[in-house]
Amino acid sequence: MGDPVVIPPRSGAAFTLDRGQTLTVIDPEGRQVSDLLAFARDDLREVISSGRTLDYANRIYLTTGDRLYSNRSNVMLDIIEDRVGRHDFLLTPCSKDTFRIIYGDTDPHRGCFGNLAAALEPYGVAPDAIPVAFNCFMNVPVDGATGSFTVEPPLSKAGDFITFRAEMDLVMALTACSALQSNGGSFKPIQYRID
């Protein structure tokens, strides 16, 4: 195992992952979200799908043993170890518009969406191709009676992680999330390791 790669606060990274390799996303300081995207390397139009994944899992909160599916119903990633058990696959990556519309920021940060778009551009992924991300460590409780939800601080503690195994050759992207409200009020790094 090599040393983990560090994604600085409020930034993102993209890289390739070969079929059979594992990706471990680590929260080194605790209570920090990481948006995860996956694209099929041989056809970037095949992309991670929250809708397909949640349909097939038949639940909102995914963990060890669950699979992340593409928009073509192919398995992209298997969750093989999860130390947290609470991740979000409902909310889109935060963006300038998120900060402007929801939080009233007058000079908004580009957010995870902007960071993902910049990181994925060299791989040929256009901004309009960016889907809803699998938000590692994000904590979004849902009221079963009303359907309303809140964004709460992540349950992850320093050193917690989630590990995925690639089921196809992928282009991946990760962020260290840029929304204060998602990260318990502070911005921290994210780490990842490929084995």
Side-chain angles (χ1 to χ4, degrees):
M1 283 193 251
D3 291 332
V5 177
V6 177
I7 301 175
R10 302 191 97 183
S11 71
F15 50 89
T16 59
L17 190 65
D18 296 336
R19 182 177 181 176
Q21 287 186 311
T22 61
L23 169 68
T24 300
V25 181
I26 306 157
D27 185 353
E29 297 180 22
R31 293 170 47 132
Q32 173 65 41
V33 170
S34 178
D35 291 29
L36 176 149
L37 293 180
F39 299 81
R41 206 180 315 161
D42 62 355
D43 184 351
L44 296 172
R45 294 171 299 176
E46 184 168 10
V47 61
I48 195 169
S49 170
S50 62
R52 302 277 183 201
T53 299
L54 296 179
D55 278 355
Y56 304 147
N58 202 32
R59 65 173 177 268
I60 292 174
Y61 303 123
L62 306 177
T63 189
T64 305
D66 286 317
R67 314 181 102 179
L68 305 185
Y69 286 84
S70 76
N71 56 319
R72 297 176 183 167
S73 296
N74 296 314
V75 178
M76 301 188 97
L77 296 158
D78 284 315
I79 303 173
I80 60 173
E81 188 172 0
D82 177 14
R83 293 287 175 92
V84 179
R86 181 61 67 94
H87 314 276
D88 164 64
F89 216 162
L90 302 174
L91 304 182
T92 191
C94 62
S95 66
K96 280 187 166 188
D97 292 324
T98 303
F99 298 136
R100 180 180 56 82
I101 293 168
I102 297 177
Y103 306 122
D105 291 0
T106 55
D107 184 23
H109 186 270
R110 69 182 184 176
C112 287
F113 184 87
N115 289 332
L116 290 164
L120 287 164
E121 183 178 19
Y123 292 92
V125 176
D128 283 346
I130 294 174
V132 173
F134 182 75
N135 300 309
C136 302
F137 315 124
M138 192 160 174
N139 180 16
V140 182
V142 178
D143 183 304
T146 67
S148 64
F149 60 83
T150 58
V151 176
E152 303 294 335
L155 303 178
S156 52
K157 300 178 297 300
D160 279 344
F161 63 87
I162 181 170
T163 300
F164 307 87
R165 183 179 57 241
E167 296 300 332
M168 61 175 72
D169 293 339
L170 298 167
V171 172
M172 302 291 304
L174 290 172
T175 68
C177 181
S178 301
L180 277 173
Q181 295 79 358
S182 300
N183 298 301
S186 65
F187 303 120
K188 298 169 286 292
I190 283 290
Q191 297 177 340
Y192 71 91
R193 187 179 64 240
I194 296 172
D195 297 306

